[in-house]
Amino acid sequence: MTRTILTLGLVICFLGSISAAEPARVLVLGGLDPVELVQGNEKQGQEKLFVEYGKFRYQFANAANKAAFEKAPLKYAVQFGGACGKMGPLSSGGSPDRFWVHEKKIYLFASESCRNAFKAAPEKHIELPDAVPAGGDADLKRGAELVQLAIKAYGAKAFESLNTYQETSQLLYPQKDKPPFEMTHTLTWMPGYLRDENSYTGWKGFTVTTPKISFDTSGKETWPLEESVREFFLRKMHRHPLLMLQARKEKGFRAVASRSGTVGETKVEWLTVAVHGATTKLALDANGRILQASYKNRTGSEVTKTYSNFKEVKGLTVPHTVEIAIDGKPVTNPVTNLKSIRVNETLDSFLFTMPD
């Protein structure tokens, strides 16, 4: 895929508000005025005073509040584009009328239990960038050496010429009434064209960010990502070792060698990488293969991904098996099965274009 191919689909600019030509959105907050809500007041908005922004229609008690919203919508709109405040910026949507205001920000929730959990400990559910790892000159020097060693293990020539990369995984749930959930990651090095797609029977959704646009789609609904959600998405995608090392020349990239250790019976060196607000620890064997990645999730738990079954795909040596554990306990619901890896295949521009 070339930048020219992608550019054909990137003619839609990111819009912070919804134009009058678009269809009416769902009324949110039961019609309460969001400008009043963030100030601690509950005032019913007027049906004739509204703004359609993202997925929702907001009503206002007076013209001044409507103007304030139009001037700074991100200050008053519900957070995460309406995703559940407990489950995260890219989770299923929260109920339009189940909300809570925390530190002058409005959050929606998918269930009453989600709202109660958030109210009890909001600091566990508010997504923030990770701390940047500290290290002296020797740690940074060794970190740079380990980055190059990892690239060599991938296959330096294939790594440097990598244009597109796709992974398709199937998440298998033990419940008989729940269908398998298939997840496809498309990572492209243009740089900055990323798509994360999720689907199961009867439903499909995906999140996309490019240098020009960022948006989320669920079923037939599509909406632009607010900046905080876009940043969350970038952090999520840059947990992938291949993607984080591809970003090594980008602003803010930092790689710090820390210590030696073991993964199973294999001796490793630990490398902590920070990029796009995501800080992840990587375990490299003597040949530079990344055997493990670990990081803190948004609730503070330690997520560990252990990689094995390395195979070559068009010159790129990548793991074909991943085992996931949270706080040391293997995740068995769901079980992740990597189905395929595709390298340097041509992608259609519509994959990165906002649907009409």
Side-chain angles (χ1 to χ4, degrees), residues 120-291:
E123 70 281 356
K124 289 186 177 181
H125 305 290
I126 296 175
E127 177 70 27
L128 297 172
D130 297 333
V132 176
D137 290 342
D139 301 320
L140 292 170
K141 180 181 178 182
R142 182 55 181 164
E145 292 171 349
L146 290 176
V147 167
Q148 292 305 312
L149 186 64
I151 292 173
K152 182 179 178 180
Y154 276 118
K157 183 177 180 180
F159 186 91
E160 296 293 357
S161 62
L162 190 60
N163 196 16
T164 70
Y165 178 86
Q166 301 176 72
E167 283 187 7
T168 300
S169 297
Q170 189 177 56
L171 279 67
L172 300 176
Y173 295 84
Q175 300 96 320
K176 292 182 180 180
D177 60 341
K178 194 164 188 176
F181 183 89
E182 192 168 274
M183 178 170 60
T184 301
H185 295 277
T186 301
L187 314 179
T188 65
W189 322 121
M190 296 304 296
Y193 293 81
L194 306 173
R195 175 182 168 109
D196 187 29
E197 181 178 307
N198 302 279
S199 63
Y200 54 83
T201 304
W203 179 87
K204 183 177 181 179
F206 50 91
T207 305
V208 168
T209 186
T210 79
K212 297 290 185 180
I213 57 173
S214 299
F215 62 91
D216 205 359
T217 294
S218 176
K220 296 182 179 180
E221 283 191 302
T222 299
W223 58 96
L225 296 185
E226 60 188 72
E227 185 59 24
S228 63
V229 182
R230 178 180 179 275
E231 290 173 355
F232 173 83
F233 179 61
L234 287 175
R235 288 195 291 273
K236 173 189 173 183
M237 298 299 278
H238 285 87
R239 299 294 186 189
H240 193 294
L242 191 64
L243 183 55
M244 71 176 72
L245 295 184
Q246 281 285 339
R248 68 195 182 283
K249 297 179 181 179
E250 295 183 24
K251 183 179 179 180
F253 180 89
R254 186 177 176 86
V256 181
S258 53
R259 56 186 174 81
S260 300
T262 59
V263 171
E265 298 180 355
T266 303
K267 293 182 179 180
V268 298
E269 281 191 79
W270 288 97
L271 174 69
T272 303
V273 175
V275 62
H276 288 294
T279 297
T280 307
K281 293 191 301 181
L282 303 177
L284 281 65
D285 68 11
N287 296 316
R289 285 186 175 178
I290 297 171
L291 303 185

Side-chain angles (χ1 to χ4, degrees), residues 21-36:
E22 294 181 341
R25 300 298 196 236
V26 175
L27 181 66
V28 71
L29 307 173
L32 293 174
D33 185 327
V35 177
E36 295 290 341

